[in-house]
Amino acid sequence: MTKKTTIYDIAEKLGITAATVSRALNGNPKISEATRQLVSDTAKEMNYEQNKLALALKSGKSYNVGVIVPRIDSNFFASVIRGIEEELYPKGYHVIICQTHDQKSLEIENINSLLNAQVDGILMSISNSGPEENQSFDRLIKKNVPLIFFDRKKEIEGVSSVTIDDFKGGYQATQHLIDQGCRRIAHLSNNRKIEIFKNRYLGYKQAIIDNGLEFDESLVIETTSRVAEGSKSTKVLLDMETPPDAIFSSSDFVALGAIQEIKSRGLKIPEDICVVGFANEPFTRFMELSITSVDQSPVEMGRIAAQVFMEEVNKSKKIKTQKQVVLTPELMIRKSSLKSEVIAH
Amino acid sequence: MTKKTTIYDIAEKLGITAATVSRALNGNPKISEATRQLVSDTAKEMNYEQNKLALALKSGKSYNVGVIVPRIDSNFFASVIRGIEEELYPKGYHVIICQTHDQKSLEIENINSLLNAQVDGILMSISNSGPEENQSFDRLIKKNVPLIFFDRKKEIEGVSSVTIDDFKGGYQATQHLIDQGCRRIAHLSNNRKIEIFKNRYLGYKQAIIDNGLEFDESLVIETTSRVAEGSKSTKVLLDMETPPDAIFSSSDFVALGAIQEIKSRGLKIPEDICVVGFANEPFTRFMELSITSVDQSPVEMGRIAAQVFMEEVNKSKKIKTQKQVVLTPELMIRKSSLKSEVIAH
């Protein structure tokens, strides 16, 4: 068996101190990029294998970052994760992912598992069920492990977040439906204790009021982001004495369920009823009846969340800052809501 | 500050030894289920917080399991992961996920990151690019960390796998197209160094030969599993002097790209050309022109992979076994390939 390469071997080869090698390998900001690169290349060349666990225990850094999302099988969350990875991989970080299936208990267990796996930070979108407690987040904050929320966030002092302007997204979608001549617009919402769903709802409501239309709370139904739930809620809407002439859904999956139910009754989209979703999932444009939706620039959201993490992980632990980045949504108008060829703003 | 609960406090309360409490909390099989439950409930009641990292270092168990997939934004892989979670969560295990984006270098780094995070095992589907080396797997095997392949596997002695019968899937799909009257069937394949793609191709080829049709290698194109790649390859096929009358794709995403290209030329599906995909992604049935595809029962695949992991993690490290589970695929016949109403076998 050959002798394992140590940092002393690398130091000797390069004529620098072992401490410098160690600092360079651990990404200490005091080391110049050129030196870091040289040490890194030499280490690779000499087959130096860093004992990352020992390193983690010593430096408190594992170069693993945890990402927690409600579900991975959504293009939106997968794209945010792609953005995070694109930003962090070149900086030597690895991304490990957990999903909560929107269950608070799993969210808590995920946080604990990731802490036990010694992650350097957690970037997450919270689940939309369960009690309003912050215990699990407290543990992170006490441990000084950076926590950054994206999309679905919670107001916690000192915790940064990257979101889109959901109020504006809801407002734009509803204004577009009104511009298409719709007057009785229903809203398929989700748990409005979650800010993003509350804000989409408030944007929808404000657009209705601003246009002098009657706001009818009975046209607002809370669902979960599943196709079957969309069909179920749409049944209720279509069975009303005066059914809606448009549906704005806070989820593309729910919008898809709505479309299935509308079609099954022989109603025409967009002639009889317009449908708008939210998130711009790829299937919304793949469908023959393409679905109007609100784009949330998820890759950019992920990249920015990762940048905020890098700022936090590199800053002195004594400085507490809180950053709130808000991105602007973009309405993608497609067949499911386009009655006339005149494209509204 | 209140004193932290220790295993001695729990032992005292229950009138059992601290060793029994420790064994119960660590899932030692010598402890009865009733005792385990009692200890667990009492520990919860007394707010006992297990130091999982210390436990991991001591017992060598972290109760974290790593799952590595090429991509998370595919319903197939997301469903396998769901199956793994459904099986492992009730047993106290947590699932942390990494994606390779089909890059060998990321696959190696993922394995190392998960090992550094002290996972008890890795369940994975290999990436389809990069050199044919087993180094990263060797590290796992040397460390005695259970490794189980699902779907995309590699032949490594002592490593178990759960796959579907891809040859049969390819054969069934092609036979169905022949039964629909297709005579010049193209195949959009993927890297055939990966067994699943090789076997789907071999199944396709065998069906053509068994039916006395001419096998034409120029009708086989290798792509990657992306929509745009499907369109690009289909361009090549449709520009041939004698274009195919059917396309069997080893990926639903590629099939979708093929459909987009075919439609853009004003050709009719299935009248002019039939299309069959593979994996039964949900969008294949959501489309107005629903896509025929091969179902791989991914949730079941995940559950079985997790069961194999549990067997391996609980067995004596001296016993080397290798289990190969092969599931049967199911052809889901839909509009994209159904010329006649007579449903073939």
Side-chain angles (χ1 to χ4, degrees):
Chain A
M1 216 174 99
T2 52
K3 196 179 145 281
K4 252 183 134 177
T5 305
T6 68
I7 55 167
Y8 300 98
D9 302 323
I10 301 169
E12 201 186 324
K13 176 150 189 186
L14 293 176
I16 57 179
T17 67
T20 304
V21 173
S22 169
R23 284 197 197 104
L25 291 171
N26 296 341
N28 186 314
K30 284 182 190 159
I31 303 297
S32 74
E33 181 55 29
T35 307
R36 204 195 58 67
Q37 195 57 52
L38 181 68
V39 171
S40 162
D41 291 349
T42 311
K44 247 179 227 159
E45 210 177 278
M46 297 175 76
N47 288 317
Y48 172 72
E49 203 187 322
Q50 231 177 341
N51 183 336
K52 285 217 178 173
L53 182 68
L55 188 69
L57 291 171
K58 213 175 90 191
S59 72
K61 270 200 171 191
S62 67
Y63 290 94
N64 279 339
V65 175
V67 175
I68 302 177
V69 290
R71 53 196 281 201
I72 52 171
D73 64 335
S74 122
N75 186 270
F76 172 72
F77 288 121
S79 301
V80 175
I81 292 171
R82 185 147 44 85
I84 294 171
E85 289 173 339
E86 283 176 6
E87 195 68 25
L88 292 185
Y89 277 152
K91 298 191 170 68
Y93 280 90
H94 271 91
V95 174
I96 57 185
I97 307 154
C98 291
Q99 55 181 342
T100 64
H101 297 286
D102 261 332
Q103 288 169 41
K104 192 78 192 168
S105 60
L106 275 178
E107 180 175 294
I108 294 167
E109 292 186 25
N110 282 337
I111 291 174
N112 288 333
S113 288
L114 289 173
L115 282 176
N116 293 335
Q118 305 291 297
V119 293
D120 292 343
I122 292 181
L123 285 67
M124 72 183 290
S125 205
I126 64 172
S127 68
N128 72 5
S129 71
E132 289 292 292
E133 54 90 351
N134 285 340
Q135 260 188 335
S136 42
F137 304 124
D138 289 348
R139 195 176 155 210
L140 278 169
I141 294 160
K142 260 184 220 151
K143 281 190 160 227
N144 255 320
V145 174
L147 168 65
I148 289 109
F149 290 129
F150 56 83
D151 193 44
R152 301 192 193 172
K153 69 167 193 166
K154 219 175 177 118
E155 269 310 330
I156 300 180
E157 212 196 304
V159 179
S160 297
S161 63
V162 184
T163 55
I164 64 150
D165 188 339
D166 287 286
F167 179 91
K168 193 169 180 178
Y171 195 102
Q172 283 177 330
T174 311
Q175 184 65 50
H176 158 68
L177 287 167
I178 295 169
D179 292 344
Q180 291 295 312
C182 303
R183 290 295 171 264
R184 195 165 157 73
I185 302 164
H187 179 42
L188 296 179
S189 185
N190 198 322
N191 183 350
R192 276 175 281 162
K193 282 181 192 152
I194 306 288
E195 276 198 36
I196 60 165
F197 300 121
K198 188 180 76 186
N199 289 333
R200 289 172 198 175
Y201 159 76
L202 289 175
Y204 149 82
K205 187 173 174 180
Q206 195 60 46
I208 288 179
I209 292 167
D210 286 356
N211 282 275
L213 298 178
E214 187 205 352
F215 174 71
D216 181 353
E217 188 75 48
S218 74
L219 290 174
V220 179
I221 301 182
E222 281 198 9
T223 69
T224 62
S225 301
R226 294 281 163 192
V227 177
E229 288 298 307
S231 301
K232 224 170 84 181
S233 304
T234 303
K235 261 195 190 78
V236 177
L237 290 172
L238 298 181
D239 285 342
M240 284 181 162
E241 210 161 306
T242 321
D245 56 9
I247 295 176
F248 162 52
S249 161
S250 61
S251 149
D252 283 333
F253 295 96
V254 169
L256 180 59
I259 287 172
Q260 291 175 348
E261 176 62 24
I262 293 166
K263 278 190 183 168
S264 80
R265 299 199 178 202
L267 292 169
K268 276 189 187 149
I269 302 168
E271 294 81 354
D272 298 326
I273 183 161
C274 290
V275 178
V276 174
F278 209 106
N280 202 24
E281 288 284 327
F283 71 79
T284 57
R285 59 178 181 280
F286 291 157
M287 312 269 300
E288 282 187 23
L289 177 79
S290 57
I291 306 175
T292 299
S293 191
V294 178
D295 186 67
Q296 306 172 271
S297 40
V299 176
E300 202 187 343
M301 185 181 279
R303 296 194 82 110
I304 296 173
Q307 286 160 8
V308 174
F309 161 76
M310 285 305 296
E311 286 168 22
E312 300 211 354
V313 86
N314 286 328
K315 81 176 180 216
S316 155
K317 294 208 167 156
K318 286 182 190 151
I319 306 171
K320 271 261 169 243
T321 51
Q322 182 177 342
K323 201 163 185 174
Q324 290 189 315
V325 183
V326 180
L327 304 172
T328 301
E330 189 185 352
L331 185 66
M332 314 301 282
I333 299 172
R334 303 199 181 98
K335 288 183 192 165
S336 72
S337 70
L338 198 58
K339 285 185 180 177
S340 57
E341 275 311 305
V342 185
I343 295 179
H345 52 104
Chain B
M1 215 174 101
T2 51
K3 195 179 144 284
K4 254 181 132 178
T5 306
T6 67
I7 55 167
Y8 300 98
D9 301 324
I10 301 168
E12 202 186 325
K13 176 148 190 189
L14 294 175
I16 57 179
T17 67
T20 303
V21 172
S22 169
R23 284 198 197 101
L25 290 172
N26 296 341
N28 186 314
K30 283 183 190 159
I31 303 297
S32 74
E33 180 54 29
T35 307
R36 205 196 56 68
Q37 194 57 53
L38 182 67
V39 170
S40 162
D41 291 348
T42 311
K44 247 180 227 160
E45 209 178 278
M46 296 173 78
N47 288 316
Y48 172 73
E49 203 188 320
Q50 231 176 341
N51 183 337
K52 285 215 178 174
L53 181 69
L55 188 69
L57 291 170
K58 213 175 91 190
S59 72
K61 269 201 174 191
S62 67
Y63 291 94
N64 280 339
V65 174
V67 176
I68 301 177
V69 290
R71 54 196 280 199
I72 53 172
D73 64 335
S74 120
N75 187 270
F76 172 72
F77 288 122
S79 301
V80 174
I81 292 171
R82 184 147 46 84
I84 293 171
E85 289 174 338
E86 283 176 6
E87 194 69 24
L88 292 185
Y89 276 152
K91 298 189 170 69
Y93 280 90
H94 272 91
V95 173
I96 58 186
I97 307 154
C98 290
Q99 55 181 343
T100 64
H101 297 284
D102 260 334
Q103 289 169 40
K104 193 76 192 169
S105 60
L106 275 178
E107 181 175 294
I108 294 167
E109 292 186 26
N110 282 337
I111 291 173
N112 288 334
S113 288
L114 289 173
L115 282 176
N116 292 336
Q118 306 289 297
V119 293
D120 292 344
I122 291 182
L123 286 66
M124 72 182 290
S125 205
I126 65 172
S127 68
N128 71 5
S129 71
E132 289 293 290
E133 54 90 351
N134 286 340
Q135 259 190 334
S136 43
F137 304 124
D138 289 348
R139 194 176 156 209
L140 277 169
I141 294 160
K142 261 184 218 151
K143 281 189 160 228
N144 254 320
V145 174
L147 168 66
I148 289 110
F149 290 128
F150 56 83
D151 193 42
R152 300 192 194 171
K153 68 165 193 168
K154 217 175 178 115
E155 268 310 331
I156 299 180
E157 210 197 306
V159 178
S160 297
S161 63
V162 185
T163 54
I164 64 151
D165 188 339
D166 287 285
F167 178 91
K168 192 169 181 177
Y171 195 101
Q172 282 177 330
T174 310
Q175 183 66 52
H176 158 67
L177 288 167
I178 296 168
D179 293 343
Q180 292 294 312
C182 303
R183 290 295 171 265
R184 193 164 159 73
I185 302 164
H187 178 42
L188 296 180
S189 184
N190 199 324
N191 183 350
R192 275 173 281 162
K193 284 182 191 150
I194 306 287
E195 276 199 35
I196 59 165
F197 300 121
K198 187 180 77 187
N199 289 333
R200 288 172 199 175
Y201 159 76
L202 290 175
Y204 149 81
K205 188 174 175 178
Q206 196 60 47
I208 287 178
I209 293 167
D210 286 356
N211 282 274
L213 297 178
E214 186 205 353
F215 173 71
D216 180 353
E217 188 74 48
S218 74
L219 289 174
V220 178
I221 301 182
E222 281 198 9
T223 70
T224 63
S225 301
R226 295 282 163 191
V227 177
E229 289 298 307
S231 301
K232 223 170 86 182
S233 305
T234 303
K235 260 195 190 78
V236 177
L237 290 172
L238 297 181
D239 285 342
M240 284 180 162
E241 211 162 305
T242 321
D245 56 8
I247 296 177
F248 161 51
S249 162
S250 61
S251 149
D252 283 334
F253 294 97
V254 169
L256 181 58
I259 287 173
Q260 290 175 349
E261 177 61 26
I262 293 166
K263 277 189 184 170
S264 79
R265 300 201 177 201
L267 293 168
K268 275 189 187 152
I269 303 169
E271 293 81 354
D272 299 325
I273 183 161
C274 290
V275 178
V276 174
F278 208 107
N280 202 23
E281 289 284 327
F283 72 79
T284 57
R285 58 178 181 281
F286 291 158
M287 312 268 301
E288 280 187 25
L289 176 80
S290 56
I291 306 176
T292 299
S293 192
V294 179
D295 187 68
Q296 306 172 271
S297 39
V299 177
E300 201 186 345
M301 185 181 280
R303 296 193 81 109
I304 295 171
Q307 286 161 9
V308 174
F309 160 76
M310 286 304 296
E311 285 168 22
E312 300 211 355
V313 86
N314 286 328
K315 81 175 180 217
S316 156
K317 293 205 168 161
K318 286 183 192 151
I319 305 170
K320 272 260 169 244
T321 52
Q322 182 178 342
K323 201 164 185 171
Q324 291 189 314
V325 183
V326 180
L327 305 171
T328 301
E330 189 185 352
L331 185 66
M332 314 300 281
I333 298 172
R334 304 202 180 97
K335 288 183 192 165
S336 72
S337 70
L338 198 58
K339 285 186 181 177
S340 57
E341 276 310 304
V342 186
I343 295 178
H345 53 104

